[in-house]
Amino acid sequence: MSRSRGLVFALVGGGFLIWTAMGFWANVFVELLWFDQLGYAEVFWTTIKAKIGIGLVFGAMAFLLIGLNLYLARYYASRLTELHLFNEEMSEFEQLFSGSRMLDLITLAVVAILSVILGLIGLADWERVLRYWNQEPFGAVDPVFGYDIGFFVFSVPFWGFVRFWLLLAVAASAVAVILYYLYRGAVVIEERGMQIRSYARNHLCILGAAIMLLMAWGYRLDMFRLLYSESGFTFGAGWTDLNARMPVYWLLMAIAVGCAGLFVATLYSRRRNLPLIAVGVMIAASLLAGGVFPTLVQQFIVKPNEFEKETPYIQSSIEFTLKGYGLNEVDEVPFQIEQELSASDIRANLATINNIKLQDKRPLRRTYQQLQEIRTYYDFPGVDEGRYLINGEYRQVMLAARELSYDQIPSKTWQNEHLVYTHGYGVCLSPVNTVTPEGLPDLFIKDIPPVAISDALQVTRPELYFGETMDNYAVVKTGQKEFDFPEGDENRFTTYEGNGGVVLSSYARRLAFARYFDEVNFLISPLIGQESQVFFRRPILERVEAIAPFLEYDHDPYLVIADGKLFWMIDAYTITGSYPYSQRFPGLEPVMDQQEFDGDPQGSIPGFNLSPRRRFVRDQPMFRSINYIRNSVKITVDAYSGEARFYVADQKDPLIATWRKIFPSLFHPLADMPQALRSHIRYPRDLFAIQAAMYRVYHMRNPQVFYNQEDLWAVPQQIYAGREHQMVPYYTVMKTSQMEKEEMILLLPFTPSNKENMIGWMAARCDGENYGRIVVYNFPKQELVYGPMQIEARISQDADIAKELTLWNQEGSEVIRGDIIVMPIGASLMYVEPLYLRQRTSRGGLPELKRVIVAQNNRIAMRETLDQAMAAVFSFDQAMALDAEAPVQTTPDGEGTPSVNVNVAYTELAQRALSQYALAQERLRAGDWTGYGQALVQLETMLKKMTEQK
């Protein structure tokens, strides 16, 4: 019976070991196949060799260090006759382990286990080690030591880790040696105290001296870390740090070396308390010199005259913070406000007005879902923003990918989930500024298969095998046809035509994937053949993070249509928290995305808080404790093949230059990106949000102003969906005095801290050679410029608007006040806020754009269309300027593109005429004969212009 039980245990144990070994083999083999299929096998092998090499080096060092100490302990202890701790008869258990051979085996096992642990600790920091050995200089020096910034970014963290690892290894050696001596009787615990043999004491004193020397080294490294100090008025070394803590660190370093000497002196002295004296001196010096003394200096010397003493360090903090966040070359431009907009201003900025964003991506996603999902198993996970040349016009648009929702597919069998339903299909695209008479988006791309109004928007490869949410693996080119798209009551099927997956060309590969996914069908399904391919890591962020985990990624990839194909574009960042004197940024507050908007029937949307607090995306904090960031990499992912390409967008960044040395085959010059994709690059919102949060403080470059915080800015609040939230940076197509033509920019207003009037606005340019230029427009401080919340208050207080909003909210519907858009027009500002109406239902209803509010100076109006609202605000004649002939404009990226008049396009006039007709009918039904006559006059004007153009 006992033999049978032992055999069962042996079989179970052996099976478990085989299963575990197969899992390890499958993980490594599948990873290699995946990287090789993407063309990044070199990246895989470089990473593997680095991890194994670094782990072996640290493991071998630990084995030598701990093994040598235990060997010495064994050598010294072999002189003893006692083999146990107490002078009592040994138990059966003690006798079992008292033999020299068994004790040696146990000792060797302990050394091996500790070496593996310490090797894994070293392996876990492989990125830091590679950065150190391949570091590139920054070409700038710190203001204290005069070292290149790269020393603080690469070397100080590396040597800090090496010191920490050595401290762990020496401490582990000391603990192992003490336990060994305890067992062998060299250290005896008795009632009168602890008795230690001389050779054991000498051995431990040498280890104690090593720990003291490592502490001395730590104090030297702490001197460099003063440049990250947060103890003074600003970030970085202040007066107290350099004049109190720095000398104290030198003193503590000398004391630590002296204490190491006391430990060594114990070997030759009869005074056994020297180690205790050394430890006591070290603790006392650390508390008094390291803690009390700098505090007293700060309190009684610095604070009474703080500004005078801290001035040079404040200046360094301002300078290096601006450099760390790429804000040292910001263009500051005075913006002389003119309170009134003239007809000439409107005519000169018609392209800007024609691209005012009336569509909000959060309610727009719900609209796309209800109008264009077609089937329940499709979903629009998010809505992206872009710009395209459409029928000769440079237009800002919203677009969304129609992805496959695996939660909603019918009959969830393995075959359906992984072989039949393999991909999403097509996109929806609509301009930001036009809607149908019902208030729904004017779809420029719609339906399945995709139907586009322009050749520039034609999608010839609409299948999406890679997206934002498709997290199931898929097997293509099997004996089972893939579902392509629904066609009436029937379904169209297809077979994948590319090479985007790992080919299952052998039984070994099928076995590896069967173990990798714990799915036996890879082995037994007759549908899988030698040409079958496996797609996995299909969510695009997961995909690029697996390729380059050392980069930080923007939370919002966006979709691009280029040459008839669909691509995802992702912004990647190089970051560090070790840039001297640069203020650290802890992160951003949580942002509610589109899915959360849909799940909230009241439509409460928190703002994008740009104050220095944490923001969690995918349950992980982003940009926490950084003080240097660059958008150094632009990534494209083919939605059909999954091919990922990494392009270096910032050649001057030393961090990306370092990674290029490590992975030379991974990165490509930005010039290699196809022009059809390059024209869609945009300045990333995450980076801009961080820069705006820092610039609102560090635009104060005068140390006196900074010290007094006299000109602190804030990001304004707005009313969104009935609640007050912070404004989000928004993209818009416009032209300013610094631009020759319309461009896409990323824009955010500023207000003075604790006030609601506007003080300026910040813009990042997205097009052509001016990409990445940041401009800050400063308003005159002696003039009142309404801020977003002041306009929001005027909207809420307007009797006519409030009456209509109250009526809508009482009729089973809900009014959603969209983002307020602050648009610089010429030398003035115009405020636009769209209003959406949706029914109160459990599913959120269908949001429809019903009204547009326009405010300028002291005038405000709410109408059905932007043109009507502007007509009410400015006057009829000025509104008619919207239809006047305007100067010829060209597109920002259109070198060689024919010049077109973007403001008199026939389709635009037709849309306006239709809108005027709908308004006239509404006025007629309401009995408003005056309004009916005015609408007919405007309709007549539109029709005449259409006739002239035709």
Side-chain angles (χ1 to χ4, degrees), residues 478-604:
T478 66
Q480 169 67 56
K481 290 283 190 177
E482 304 168 49
F483 167 76
D484 201 20
F485 60 87
E487 192 173 41
D489 295 332
E490 303 294 330
N491 290 333
R492 180 75 65 88
F493 290 85
T494 188
T495 298
Y496 182 71
E497 298 176 355
N499 296 298
V502 177
V503 181
L504 298 174
S505 57
S506 67
Y507 188 81
R509 294 190 176 200
R510 294 177 66 172
L511 178 62
F513 277 99
R515 179 64 184 92
Y516 187 83
F517 290 113
D518 290 331
E519 179 53 67
V520 70
N521 280 308
F522 278 96
L523 295 174
I524 65 175
S525 176
L527 298 174
I528 297 178
Q530 290 193 346
E531 294 184 357
S532 299
Q533 299 179 22
V534 184
F535 291 141
F536 63 105
R537 290 198 180 119
R538 298 171 66 196
I540 50 177
L541 281 176
E542 178 187 345
R543 194 171 186 81
V544 296
E545 284 172 353
I547 298 171
F550 45 83
L551 298 175
E552 190 78 11
Y553 294 92
D554 195 274
H555 84 283
D556 185 25
Y558 55 99
L559 190 67
V560 169
I561 303 171
D563 296 329
K565 299 177 66 177
L566 301 177
F567 293 87
W568 295 99
M569 194 165 285
I570 307 168
D571 289 288
Y573 308 100
T574 50
I575 61 173
T576 183
S578 303
Y579 199 87
Y581 273 105
S582 178
Q583 175 66 50
R584 284 187 177 139
F585 182 78
L588 300 168
E589 278 191 351
V591 178
M592 185 172 284
D593 59 16
Q594 292 93 338
Q595 291 93 327
E596 293 173 284
F597 171 82
D598 295 329
D600 182 0
Q602 300 303 315
S604 64

Side-chain angles (χ1 to χ4, degrees), residues 456-470:
L457 300 178
Q458 292 295 333
V459 180
T460 57
R461 179 59 77 183
E463 299 90 345
L464 290 113
Y465 284 87
F466 300 87
E468 294 188 85
T469 60
M470 295 187 293

